[in-house]
């Protein structure tokens, strides 16, 4: 391994809290991180895509991405379909070796494992991670009628520490493999990349950059100076050009650029269905006069002629329009344009004002308008009040801390992770926390990020989740109980509170409870003891009701109910 790759690997291991000292396993995680960081702009758990060792079919990592979200269990597929009314599927396969050579035999093994994955009757023995991935694949293809933008795409990466010189024999192996995959008629685009040391170094450097995009707007008006605004433009942009702003290099929609939007994508409701109908009609050129357009707020903006380079940006108005354009990209052509406003500002006050003004004509309350602006800023500032080992970093904007190499990535809390931990601990909904986070967000829309919520509840739930993952990662708790992690978090809260009920999120009682939970979680030994007790309660509940200790079971409402029943027996024993 060359000195630069070794230095990058060392930095990655430290920043991401990789505990193993095995260099081969470290390099596997490093390669997966380099590949998938461009797919997931939020932080993600590498363990969720690792296929483990032994019976892994020659595959180190496998990520199944549906509508831009990582899918880790079959039930998520229906959740996503229910929310979006369509499926856009991508498979990512990664194999890594610290060897400096690209060996044909190892590459063939990797390719054979991928082909076997798509067979109805696989020939290779497989472990639980691979079996779960095959169940997800089956759930997806059973809903193939909802593949709105075509069959799934596949991306295959073989990573090595050497140099790729494209030897003729190996190139022929790759071409034959690609032909066989396409002949299955199960996939659309097949991409195969041999990643050498230089390619990995380039990819790793890109993970340290903030969110960026470049678009061309030929028809634009520069607005006059505005207090607090660095630059502002008004114009219109071809829809196909606008897609560059909301999609990544793998053609996934960038979910993170809509976090400052008041409402998440509402699926194919009447308004969105009408937009889609217009795009599919002979009147598609009228789209520009029928649509209010989109508003983009960026922290950084550089203009060179008609090219606009944006960094750290958000689509603060136009979430519905953007998603409908994306899902109907196949019918877009040069006749479809969209009105666009671009505002470059460092001021959070200006950003909030833009969000309120551009959403003022929708049926949204003042509280909702501020829920993802003022309150998100409040959370970021509240998280910053803790120091030392208690410090977490609330990432209210995508890749907000990407360039800060001193921050341990496991301490960064993205909005999806925050919603899951808060939902599991304080909303009594651990069975949904492990599924598609948008479902949890939609169900509890009126209970999340309310302006009068105590910010302590969000920090406390995030830190408890961080502590639990730390204990699993360091083998201080049996790793098989990761399958019920969200149930453990709910149980932990009940044990500390000595009740299954939760005080109001704006009350003094909830702040006192958060203080108790923080004190316990900040003390590693105490945290181990509490979570060990929680494990005992969850295990007892599952044993009594003949439930298996796996993720599928843990994601049912019945699982939450039986654990709550067991908690009541422990907390309030019959006298």
């Amino acid at each position: 391994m060359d000195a630069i790759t070794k230095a990058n690997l060392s930095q990655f291991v430290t920043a991401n809290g990789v505990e193993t000292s095995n260099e081969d396993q470290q390099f596997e995680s490093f390669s997966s991180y380099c590949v998938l960081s461009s797919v997931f702009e939020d932080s993600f758990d590498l363990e969720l895509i690792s296929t483990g060792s032994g019976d892994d079919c020659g595959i180190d990592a496998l990520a199944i991405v549906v509508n831009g979200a990582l899918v880790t269990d079959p039930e998520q597929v229906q959740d996503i379909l229910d929310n979006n009314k369509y499926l856009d599927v991508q498979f990512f396969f990664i194999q890594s070796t610290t060897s400096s050579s690209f060996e044909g035999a190892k590459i063939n093994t990797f390719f054979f494992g991928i082909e076997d994955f798509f067979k109805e009757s696989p020939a290779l023995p497989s472990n639980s991670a691979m079996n779960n991935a095959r169940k997800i694949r089956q759930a997806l293809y059973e809903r193939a009628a909802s593949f709105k933008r075509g069959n799934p795409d596949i991306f295959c990466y073989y990573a090595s520490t050497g140099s790729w010189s494209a030897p003729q024999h190996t190139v022929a192996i790759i071409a034959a493999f690609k032909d066989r995959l396409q002949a299955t008629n199960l996939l659309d685009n097949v991409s195969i990349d041999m990643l050498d040391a230089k390619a990995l170094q380039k990819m790793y450097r890109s993970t340290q950059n903030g969110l960026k995009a470049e678009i061309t707007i030929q028809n634009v008006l520069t607005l006059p100076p505005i207090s607090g605004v660095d630059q502002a433009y008004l114009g219109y942009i071809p829809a196909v050009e606008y897609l560059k702003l909301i999609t990544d290099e793998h053609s996934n929609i960038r979910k993170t650029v809509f976090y400052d939007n008041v409402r998440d994508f509402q699926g194919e409701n009447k308004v969105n269905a009408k937009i889609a109908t217009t795009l599919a009609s002979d009147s598609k050129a009228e789209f520009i006069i029928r649509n209010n357009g989109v508003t983009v707020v960026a922290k950084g903006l550089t203009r060179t002629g008609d090219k606009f380079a944006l960094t750290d940006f958000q689509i603060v108005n136009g979430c519905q329009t953007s998603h409908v354009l994306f899902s109907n990209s196949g019918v877009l052509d040069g006749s479809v344009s969209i009105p666009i406003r671009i505002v470059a500002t460092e001021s959070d006050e200006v950003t909030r004002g833009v969000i309120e003004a551009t959403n003022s004509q929708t049926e949204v309350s003042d509280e909702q308008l501020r829920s993802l602006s003022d309150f998100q800023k409040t959370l970021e500032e509240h998280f910053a009040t803790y120091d030392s080992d208690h410090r977490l970093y609330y990432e209210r904007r995508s890749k907000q801390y990407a360039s800060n190499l001193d921050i341990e990535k496991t301490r960064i809390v993205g909005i999806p992770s925050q919603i899951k931990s808060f939902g599991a601990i304080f909303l009594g909904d651990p069975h949904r926390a492990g599924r598609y986070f948008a479902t949890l967000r939609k169900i509890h829309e009126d209970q999340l990020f309310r302006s009068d919520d105590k910010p302590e509840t969000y920090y406390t739930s995030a830190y408890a989740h961080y502590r639990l993952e730390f204990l699993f990662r360091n083998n201080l708790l049996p790793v098989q109980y990761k399958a019920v992690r969200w149930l453990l978090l709910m149980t932990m809260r009940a044990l500390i509170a000595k009740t299954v009920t939760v005080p109001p999120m704006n009350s003094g009682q909830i702040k006192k409870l958060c203080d108790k939970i923080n004190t316990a979680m900040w003390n590693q030994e105490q945290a181990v003891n509490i979570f060990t007790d929680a494990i005992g309660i969850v295990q007892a509940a599952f044993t009594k009701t003949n439930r298996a200790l796996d993720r599928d079971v843990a994601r049912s409402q019945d699982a939450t109910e039986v654990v709550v029943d067991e908690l009541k027996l422990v907390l309030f024993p019959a006298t």
Side-chain angles (χ1 to χ4, degrees):
M1 189 181 299
D2 65 89
I4 295 176
T5 302
K6 187 175 284 291
N8 287 345
L9 178 62
S10 177
Q11 185 184 76
F12 162 79
V13 168
T14 301
N16 289 273
V18 177
E19 298 300 326
T20 179
S21 59
N22 184 300
E23 188 175 71
D24 289 339
Q25 293 177 357
Q26 290 177 347
F27 187 70
E28 289 175 9
S29 296
F30 174 74
S31 301
S32 299
Y33 179 79
C34 288
V35 168
L36 295 173
S37 285
S38 63
V39 180
F40 306 117
E41 290 167 342
D42 275 318
S43 56
F44 62 98
D45 187 347
L46 285 165
E47 290 186 26
L48 293 177
I49 53 96
S50 173
T51 51
S53 57
D55 293 339
D56 58 11
C57 305
I59 298 164
D60 288 335
L62 199 174
I64 302 175
V65 180
V66 183
N67 297 16
L70 176 65
V71 174
T72 56
D73 80 270
E75 291 187 359
Q76 282 179 274
V77 174
Q78 189 59 48
D79 284 348
I80 293 174
L81 185 56
D82 289 342
N83 274 274
N84 299 155
K85 310 305 180 187
Y86 71 92
L87 298 174
D88 185 20
V89 184
Q90 296 172 321
F91 294 96
F92 292 82
F93 294 87
I94 305 168
Q95 174 63 33
S96 312
T97 175
T98 52
S99 169
S100 60
S101 61
F102 287 84
E103 301 174 29
K106 289 185 177 179
I107 293 172
N108 257 328
T109 298
F110 176 49
F111 288 168
F112 185 80
I114 295 171
E115 289 181 80
D116 194 63
F117 176 80
F118 287 99
K119 292 179 179 177
E120 286 299 319
S121 301
L124 294 174
S126 54
N127 57 32
S128 59
M130 290 300 299
N131 288 337
N132 184 61
R134 283 172 172 159
K135 290 178 182 177
I136 297 171
R137 180 214 66 201
Q138 182 178 355
L140 287 165
Y141 279 99
E142 286 174 353
R143 296 163 176 80
S146 297
F147 292 166
K148 187 169 185 178
R149 289 172 12 108
N151 288 344
D153 295 334
I154 181 172
F155 300 86
C156 310
Y157 298 89
Y158 187 93
S160 167
T161 60
S163 297
W164 171 244
S165 58
Q168 186 175 356
H169 177 70
T170 308
V171 169
I173 290 174
I174 294 171
F177 166 66
K178 186 172 183 177
D179 288 343
R180 292 194 302 271
L181 275 186
Q182 290 179 325
T184 64
N185 295 319
L186 295 173
L187 303 160
D188 271 359
N189 299 314
V190 178
S191 175
I192 303 164
D193 286 288
M194 298 290 115
L195 301 177
D196 60 10
K198 285 187 177 180
L200 286 170
Q201 290 164 16
K202 182 179 179 180
M203 295 173 84
Y204 183 64
R205 285 193 293 270
S206 71
T207 68
Q208 298 164 15
N209 298 326
L211 187 63
K212 294 182 178 180
E214 184 176 282
I215 53 176
T216 299
I217 311 178
Q218 295 178 335
N219 302 284
V220 66
L221 172 68
T222 302
L223 298 181
I226 303 171
S227 177
V229 175
D230 300 321
Q231 302 177 66
Y233 302 93
L234 178 66
Y236 64 93
I237 182 174
V240 291
E241 184 70 16
Y242 175 68
L243 290 178
K244 295 178 182 178
L245 200 63
I246 61 171
T247 57
D248 62 23
E249 62 187 68
H250 294 97
S251 298
N252 288 313
I253 193 162
R254 285 171 149 162
K255 295 285 188 182
T256 54
V257 302
F258 301 105
Y259 282 167
D260 275 346
N261 239 262
V262 174
R263 287 200 177 114
D264 195 7
F265 180 50
Q266 302 296 303
E268 290 191 358
N269 58 26
K270 289 182 179 180
V271 175
N272 292 340
K274 194 171 183 179
I275 296 174
T277 299
T278 299
L279 292 173
S281 72
D282 294 335
S283 303
K284 66 173 68 175
E286 297 177 14
F287 185 82
I288 191 171
I289 59 175
R290 296 187 183 187
N291 191 274
N292 290 330
V294 299
T295 303
V296 186
V297 176
K299 293 288 183 181
L301 173 62
T302 302
R303 180 183 181 182
T304 306
D306 57 6
K307 295 189 181 298
F308 292 75
L310 296 88
T311 58
D312 199 2
F313 62 91
Q314 285 280 300
I315 313 295
V316 300
N317 178 256
C319 177
Q320 310 306 312
T321 295
S322 299
H323 279 78
V324 176
L325 286 171
F326 172 77
S327 62
N328 290 275
S329 58
V331 301
L332 300 181
D333 55 31
S335 69
V336 182
S337 292
I338 179 173
I340 187 170
R341 289 179 291 270
I342 301 178
V343 178
T345 179
E346 292 281 345
S347 170
D348 290 316
E349 285 296 314
V350 170
T351 300
R352 189 193 69 180
V354 172
I355 293 173
E356 291 185 19
T358 54
N359 286 279
S360 62
Q361 293 182 350
T362 62
E363 295 180 6
V364 181
S365 68
D366 288 341
E367 183 174 320
Q368 285 177 305
L369 282 170
R370 292 179 174 83
S371 67
L372 286 178
S373 53
D374 281 0
F375 195 69
Q376 294 295 315
K377 180 65 174 176
T378 296
L379 289 184
E380 181 185 20
E381 293 172 346
H382 180 78
F383 276 53
T385 63
Y386 301 88
D387 56 20
S388 188
D389 185 55
H390 305 162
R391 182 71 159 98
L392 296 178
Y393 299 82
Y394 188 72
E395 191 172 55
R396 64 188 177 96
R397 300 189 311 274
S398 178
K399 294 192 174 184
Q400 187 172 344
Y401 301 105
S403 61
N404 192 333
L405 301 180
D406 294 328
I407 295 177
E408 184 182 337
K409 302 306 179 188
T410 57
R411 292 180 179 270
I412 296 175
V413 181
I415 291 179
S417 175
Q418 178 69 87
I419 290 174
K420 289 183 175 186
S421 61
F422 184 84
I425 294 176
F426 291 120
L427 300 182
D429 212 347
H431 51 281
R432 288 194 181 94
R435 296 171 68 171
Y436 184 43
F437 96 95
T439 300
L440 187 68
R441 178 179 176 175
K442 182 176 291 187
I443 290 172
H444 296 291
E445 184 177 7
D446 296 333
Q447 298 172 282
L448 288 165
F449 305 127
R450 296 184 302 189
S451 60
D452 62 344
D453 283 350
K454 295 292 185 184
E456 288 85 356
T457 58
Y458 293 89
Y459 168 83
T460 297
S461 55
Y463 193 90
H465 182 213
Y466 163 79
R467 175 59 78 190
L468 180 58
E469 293 298 324
F470 176 88
L471 297 178
F472 281 132
R473 196 165 58 247
N474 288 274
N475 295 312
L476 295 172
L477 291 175
V479 294
Q480 65 265 33
Y481 288 99
K482 287 192 73 171
V484 293
R485 71 185 79 181
W486 306 108
L487 287 168
L488 293 178
L489 286 168
M490 179 194 71
T491 305
M492 171 277 301
R493 183 263 304 155
L495 288 174
I496 292 175
K498 294 182 171 54
T499 179
V500 295
T501 60
V502 181
M505 294 300 109
N506 60 354
S507 66
Q509 295 98 316
I510 195 68
K511 186 179 183 304
K512 290 179 181 178
L513 175 57
C514 287
D515 290 343
K516 289 181 181 179
I517 295 174
N518 290 343
T519 299
M521 295 297 103
W522 290 342
N523 184 307
Q524 181 174 302
E525 183 178 353
Q526 193 173 351
V528 169
N529 291 336
I530 291 173
F531 279 120
T532 298
D533 290 343
I535 285 173
I537 288 171
V538 173
Q539 182 65 73
F542 276 35
T543 300
K544 287 180 181 179
T545 54
N546 296 315
R547 283 175 164 78
L549 194 73
D550 61 41
R551 289 184 299 181
D552 289 344
V553 174
R555 287 166 180 160
S556 69
Q557 185 170 344
D558 288 347
T560 297
E561 291 172 356
V562 298
V563 171
V564 169
D565 288 342
E566 185 66 22
L567 269 167
K568 290 177 180 178
L569 291 176
V570 171
L571 295 172
F572 312 111
T575 55

